[in-house]
Amino acid sequence: KLCVLAMADKMQVDEEEYGDECYLDVSFQPEGSIALNEHLTDVDLTGNRLKQLPDVSMLRNIKRLVVRQNLLETAAPLGTLTTLTHLDMYDNQLTTSSGLGALTNLTTLDLSFNQIRAVEEVESLTQLKEIFFVSNKVSIMPCPSTLTCLTTLELGGNRIRDMVQLTGLHSLENLWLGRNKISDITNLAGLTTLKILALPSNRLTKLSGLEGLGALEELYVSHNGIKRIEGLEDLHLLNTFDVGSNRISVVEGVGHLSLLKEFWCGQNSLSSFDTIETLKPCRNLKTVYFEQNPIQQEAHYAATILSMLPTLTQLDATPITPAVKN
């Protein structure tokens, strides 16, 4: 390993070389100039208050570029870096994702915490495995049917109202849509590889549209207006289910979930122990949350639940130790 520590205009530059890899870290050093060279494969320019990118034209071998927490308004100057596989522009001032259509080797694209209103020019990025557009202003959910390698699509914290048909995303495993304005779960047919579906903090009033998601392992729908637990018939692999902060008055439709380990149902309307009877067949259950339900005020709350669900290792925030069981 060759490590070179240099100084340039009061800026500390760490440059490290690992065989064919050459890494430059100039993060959180907003003073001075940034000297790039053609040998660099990994560059980190985080937190330098950059309004404009330095000349990147010589980065002919660049694979990973991180420019988080700057003041950049466009990504267009990066459009010629066709060797890039990882681009991270989290927390800038981008208003569009255009200009990146030629980066066909990208596997990870993170444009979270910007001001982007539409996901554009990603259809040609067919090697993408992960897309992150968290906390932007996107109102229309993208449908990049050409991205057959995509495993993660993160669109939380936007303005999406309708879920579109994600045709062609045969590898998708993680779909994150929390903190949007979605009122119905729709258009998930064909996502046979989906393992995680997250829709917390939306406008859901009903659990539906989950048919055919036989690979789903984790479902997050907290902080909605859901009144009934239903529509889980096909989710035989589900191990984590978060339905906290809704309007649930009885736990139902879960007895067939033999692999369920985590069930979070705090801050609902469960008023008696009878309302959780259907969890008894879930023999792999390890953690439940019932705090901030009326049932929590019942006499012998913990003891009764532990007698009903003897496999538990945690009740609410309390680990179940032998002393607690006794």
Side-chain angles (χ1 to χ4, degrees):
K1 181 178 75 172
L2 173 65
C3 297
V4 180
L5 183 64
M7 297 295 293
D9 298 327
K10 298 182 180 179
M11 178 178 288
Q12 179 173 297
V13 180
D14 291 315
E15 185 173 321
E16 298 181 352
E17 212 173 294
Y18 299 88
D20 295 332
E21 304 294 319
C22 189
Y23 175 63
L24 176 68
D25 184 353
V26 199
S27 55
F28 299 104
Q29 299 181 53
E31 301 297 329
S33 60
I34 299 172
L36 303 176
N37 65 70
E38 64 180 9
H39 303 292
L40 292 167
T41 58
D42 191 324
V43 175
D44 190 338
L45 303 177
T46 298
N48 287 308
R49 300 200 294 272
L50 296 174
K51 292 185 177 180
Q52 184 175 346
L53 284 164
D55 181 10
V56 297
S57 60
M58 78 291 294
L59 295 176
R60 290 187 282 272
N61 296 295
I62 191 71
K63 294 179 180 178
R64 182 175 181 271
L65 179 62
V66 179
V67 283
R68 286 186 163 218
Q69 294 174 261
N70 283 287
L71 303 171
L72 300 172
E73 296 182 359
T74 179
L78 305 177
T80 60
L81 303 181
T82 56
T83 58
L84 269 178
T85 60
H86 181 113
L87 177 59
D88 187 343
M89 299 191 72
Y90 178 108
D91 193 8
N92 277 275
Q93 296 181 4
L94 304 178
T95 57
T96 178
S97 60
S98 62
L100 302 176
L103 305 185
T104 55
N105 286 306
L106 274 182
T107 59
T108 299
L109 176 63
D110 191 344
L111 301 184
S112 300
F113 288 87
N114 280 283
Q115 300 175 40
I116 296 170
R117 294 182 179 275
V119 180
E120 302 172 297
E121 294 188 24
V122 298
E123 293 82 2
S124 61
L125 309 181
T126 56
Q127 299 303 308
L128 274 175
K129 295 182 179 180
E130 299 177 306
I131 295 178
F132 303 92
F133 274 78
V134 184
S135 292
N136 276 281
K137 298 180 180 180
V138 177
S139 57
I140 299 177
M141 188 173 169
C143 180
S145 59
T146 56
L147 305 187
T148 56
C149 296
L150 195 69
T151 60
T152 298
L153 180 58
E154 165 63 280
L155 295 166
N158 280 283
R159 302 175 179 179
I160 297 169
R161 294 179 181 272
D162 298 308
M163 298 173 64
V164 301
Q165 185 70 52
L166 296 175
T167 306
L169 302 189
H170 304 305
S171 301
L172 193 67
E173 296 181 357
N174 310 303
L175 179 58
W176 302 85
L177 293 167
R179 290 182 56 238
N180 277 285
K181 300 179 180 181
I182 297 168
S183 56
D184 294 294
I185 303 175
T186 57
N187 291 316
L188 295 177
L191 298 182
T192 57
T193 58
L194 195 66
K195 295 182 179 180
I196 299 176
L197 176 61
L199 286 153
S201 300
N202 275 281
R203 299 177 178 178
L204 303 176
T205 57
K206 184 177 181 180
L207 269 181
S208 60
L210 303 173
E211 299 82 8
L213 300 183
L216 202 69
E217 297 177 1
E218 300 178 24
L219 177 60
Y220 302 94
V221 289
S222 65
H223 295 89
N224 280 284
I226 297 169
K227 297 178 181 179
R228 289 190 61 192
I229 297 175
E230 56 188 330
L232 309 182
E233 290 81 7
D234 294 343
L235 309 188
H236 296 286
L237 299 183
L238 199 69
N239 62 58
T240 300
F241 183 27
D242 181 3
V243 70
S245 299
N246 277 282
R247 300 175 183 176
I248 305 297
S249 59
V250 61
V251 177
E252 55 190 326
V254 297
H256 66 293
L257 302 177
S258 61
L259 299 181
L260 191 66
K261 294 181 179 179
E262 304 273 338
F263 180 65
W264 307 336
C265 195
Q267 201 168 344
N268 274 283
S269 302
L270 305 176
S271 58
S272 71
F273 296 116
D274 291 341
T275 63
I276 63 173
E277 284 276 343
T278 52
L279 284 169
K280 284 184 175 181
C282 301
R283 298 299 183 183
N284 285 298
L285 203 59
K286 301 299 181 184
T287 299
V288 295
Y289 276 86
F290 295 129
E291 60 189 4
Q292 297 186 53
N293 276 280
I295 192 176
Q296 192 179 24
Q297 306 305 317
E298 291 284 322
H300 310 297
Y301 163 72
T304 303
I305 289 178
L306 290 178
S307 67
M308 294 174 67
L309 307 173
T311 60
L312 290 184
T313 59
Q314 181 173 324
L315 172 58
D316 299 331
T318 304
I320 307 302
T321 64
V324 171
K325 285 189 176 182
N326 291 334

